[in-house]
Amino acid sequence: MSSTSRHRSQSNGQNPILLFTPPPQKSLSLNSQSSISLFMEQRTRILLLLSFFIGFVIAVPDSASAAESRVDDRIGELPGQPLNVGFSQYSGYVTVNRGAGRALFYWLVESTVGGKPLLLWLNGGPGCSSVAYGAAEEVGPFRVGADGKSLMMNPYSWNKLANILFLESPAGVGFSYSNTSSDLYTAGDQRTAEDAYTFLVNWFERFPEYKHRDFYIAGESYAGHYVPQLSQIIFQKNQGVQNPAINFKGFMVGNAVTDDYHDYVGTFEYWWTHGLISDATYHNLRLACNYQSSEHPSDECQKALDVADAEQGNIDPYSIFTRPCNSTASLRRNLRGHYPWMSRAYDPCTERHSKVYFNRPEVQKALHANVTGIPYPWETCSDIVGNYWADSPRSMLPIYQELIAAGIRIWVFSGDTDAVVPVTATRYSIDALKLPTVINWYPWYDSGKVGGWSQVYKGLTFVTVTGAGHEVPLHRPRQAFILFRSFLENKPMPR
């Protein structure tokens, strides 16, 4: 499979450039007492606007105070939402670069219990939406119905344990936008991390009650880069600061892109040991892709990956024992009963439901998204952002070493039926850290049944979730809930 499809859900076709504009600002009156200053402000805006080439639009500065923005961001009720959900929701835009006109879209789902910590959830890709995946089919409070109109409650929503903040990042992903078109073609790890940090600083001003509260970051797939990189920035910014506003405590990542060398070795081994590729292809992959970049592989490595993709056939690599999403007719035939290895029936077309729902105008209005009605479709993943991804360091292990030494809580988990970033890849990366073992490998249990396995190292806890694919909370929602609870409590998985 291609280097980009390793970390992204199956999205076909090129996206149009998504240039979502900020919410309309209050009109300015020259009859007010401050008419001269307002006139000069308008004149400055016009001059700035004219300084850009045709096709580029300068972002309109926010005029509302943080308090006013918070009120405007409150979600009354989402279309199709069940009655009396028992928690508050907010969504909207936070500007991260006024000069370029970059603003990131967020969705906050507050906890059903007061005083809980705050968790930032990030999806990877690069170029995939945390609204589409994290919120709509993994850890959020709702699931989108097959009709693309109704919402159902998720009994294992993580907002029962924490306040969950979903962020669509970087600009160009989901509803997040940039008024500088070139930003979509130059996104990379460094700017994504810097913009995410700027987002948090500004977001905490809008929601000051979350300042100083315990704060965690979680994500999956290519967020295996986003999460530790953002964590490092926060940690370094907090050095020497007493009682920092962003009270960062730790992070957790699932089926995470971590180290290109070990990811490749472990992934090829998984494909081979699970009978997905031939002996010859396995050896070719080991030779052609040795020490290659996963985001920017050589032509020889890419050819070997393409052969492996053809040999694997029409499977869902994100969950190798479940059927892929084909036609609606085949879906109806294939979902007659529960799969024996699943806790409940798995809908492989769940991503399609989200695309229908979040493209509905009334849904976008309720979310305060795409407020000017630009007729570009919302996509689960941006092909432009993903295909033109710039900087991508080959290893996150140096960041792990820095944060482990600082005592930051780190948990890593893997669904063991994922062939995209498989459990073997993660185990090779963890082994490379050479951490002392605190608790040896052991099975953990859920209601008397093995839910997976775990090993506790000095500074890091590793957990597997049996039967789960790339999106662990989608395939094993109850077990993922137990995992998150153990992470927050900083206790080993139940035995």
Side-chain angles (χ1 to χ4, degrees):
M1 60 188 67
S2 68
S3 61
T4 53
S5 67
R6 288 181 66 243
H7 321 306
R8 304 172 58 191
S9 206
Q10 300 164 12
S11 172
N12 298 321
Q14 285 282 57
N15 296 355
I17 299 176
L18 303 179
L19 297 181
F20 292 99
T21 56
Q25 304 300 309
K26 297 177 181 179
S27 61
L28 298 174
S29 171
L30 294 180
N31 295 322
S32 65
Q33 293 181 350
S34 56
S35 61
I36 295 177
S37 61
L38 292 176
F39 173 77
M40 293 301 294
E41 181 180 353
Q42 287 181 320
R43 180 187 175 193
T44 301
R45 290 182 183 177
I46 292 172
L47 291 174
L48 287 171
L49 179 61
L50 292 176
S51 68
F52 279 73
F53 292 102
I54 295 175
F56 292 80
V57 184
I58 190 74
V60 178
D62 293 331
S63 62
S65 67
E68 290 172 336
S69 297
R70 176 199 175 101
V71 172
D72 292 340
D73 286 356
R74 179 155 190 152
I75 298 173
E77 183 177 321
L78 293 173
Q81 175 182 306
L83 298 175
N84 303 321
V85 297
F87 53 85
S88 298
Q89 304 175 77
Y90 298 83
S91 62
Y93 289 99
V94 173
T95 299
V96 295
N97 188 299
R98 292 187 180 278
R102 288 201 303 275
L104 302 184
F105 181 81
Y106 80 90
W107 181 1
L108 171 67
V109 180
E110 293 195 314
S111 178
T112 55
V113 181
K116 292 295 184 179
L118 175 66
L119 175 78
L120 173 69
W121 176 274
L122 302 171
N123 278 88
C128 292
S129 163
S130 296
V131 169
Y133 299 102
E137 62 182 43
E138 296 188 80
V139 305
F142 305 120
R143 293 284 184 267
V144 181
D147 58 3
K149 297 180 180 180
S150 58
L151 296 177
M152 302 166 290
M153 296 300 297
N154 171 19
Y156 299 107
S157 174
W158 286 12
N159 79 317
K160 295 181 179 181
L161 300 172
N163 303 277
I164 312 297
L165 178 61
F166 300 98
L167 177 64
E168 292 194 307
S169 175
V173 173
F175 292 121
S176 294
Y177 68 86
S178 175
N179 286 334
T180 302
S181 301
S182 60
D183 280 350
L184 278 67
Y185 296 87
T186 57
D189 280 25
Q190 182 174 349
R191 193 172 74 203
T192 298
E194 292 170 351
D195 280 0
Y197 178 75
T198 302
F199 164 84
L200 285 174
V201 171
N202 294 337
W203 186 88
F204 275 100
E205 292 302 316
R206 193 174 299 183
F207 292 86
E209 70 272 25
Y210 287 104
K211 289 183 178 181
H212 315 297
R213 194 178 302 198
D214 287 357
F215 174 70
Y216 301 93
I217 309 175
E220 67 189 18
S221 196
Y222 197 80
H225 278 213
Y226 298 164
V227 172
Q229 287 169 338
L230 177 58
S231 298
Q232 182 187 44
I233 291 178
I234 296 172
F235 167 72
Q236 292 177 349
K237 295 284 188 181
N238 282 350
Q239 291 302 292
V241 178
Q242 291 186 346
N243 193 25
I246 304 178
N247 187 22
F248 178 60
K249 294 296 185 181
F251 73 79
M252 66 186 306
V253 289
N255 292 83
V257 180
T258 305
D259 177 275
D260 287 355
Y261 173 76
H262 295 103
D263 285 351
Y264 266 146
V265 170
T267 298
F268 301 154
E269 183 176 305
Y270 187 92
W271 291 351
W272 182 61
T273 57
H274 285 74
L276 303 181
I277 59 173
S278 64
D279 293 356
T281 297
Y282 173 63
H283 292 302
N284 287 340
L285 287 166
R286 292 295 303 269
L287 291 174
C289 298
N290 195 27
Y291 293 103
Q292 288 288 307
S293 164
S294 64
E295 278 301 306
H296 305 105
S298 66
D299 291 341
E300 185 180 9
C301 176
Q302 187 60 59
K303 289 178 181 178
L305 290 168
D306 290 342
V307 172
D309 188 31
E311 288 184 351
Q312 290 176 20
N314 184 28
I315 65 168
D316 182 353
Y318 298 89
S319 176
I320 64 173
F321 298 127
T322 54
R323 297 181 184 273
C325 179
N326 295 314
S327 68
T328 304
S330 65
L331 175 63
R332 284 196 296 266
R333 289 195 302 271
N334 296 336
L335 291 183
R336 289 176 180 170
H338 289 223
Y339 295 109
W341 54 87
M342 303 291 287
S343 61
R344 59 185 177 85
Y346 162 56
D347 182 349
C349 294
T350 182
E351 176 186 348
R352 291 186 181 180
H353 311 330
S354 295
K355 289 180 70 173
V356 173
Y357 184 79
F358 291 108
N359 272 299
R360 293 175 61 201
E362 59 270 34
V363 173
Q364 294 183 1
K365 181 178 180 181
L367 286 170
H368 320 119
N370 189 19
V371 292
T372 56
I374 295 177
Y376 301 129
W378 173 90
E379 292 283 352
T380 56
C381 293
S382 168
D383 290 333
I384 292 175
V385 171
N387 292 338
Y388 288 90
W389 197 256
D391 56 298
S392 178
R394 295 192 178 190
S395 181
M396 295 294 103
L397 296 182
I399 298 179
Y400 275 75
Q401 292 169 333
E402 176 185 351
L403 298 183
I404 287 172
I408 299 298
R409 186 183 313 171
I410 299 175
W411 281 42
V412 178
F413 62 94
S414 285
D416 61 12
T417 68
D418 174 30
V420 179
V421 189
V423 60
T424 44
T426 299
R427 294 185 75 176
Y428 276 124
S429 291
I430 292 175
D431 184 64
L433 290 170
K434 306 300 181 184
L435 300 173
T437 296
V438 176
I439 302 177
N440 286 320
W441 190 263
Y442 68 93
W444 65 271
Y445 287 87
D446 171 30
S447 301
K449 296 181 180 180
V450 173
W453 290 264
S454 180
Q455 182 156 334
V456 180
Y457 301 89
K458 185 178 181 180
L460 184 148
T461 296
F462 176 58
V463 180
T464 73
V465 182
T466 185
H470 192 64
E471 299 174 75
V472 170
L474 169 64
H475 297 97
R476 285 285 189 260
R478 176 181 167 87
Q479 289 75 18
F481 185 88
I482 295 171
L483 168 66
F484 182 49
R485 184 178 62 198
S486 296
F487 166 75
L488 290 178
E489 296 174 351
N490 200 25
K491 295 180 180 178
M493 298 297 291
R495 301 200 196 195

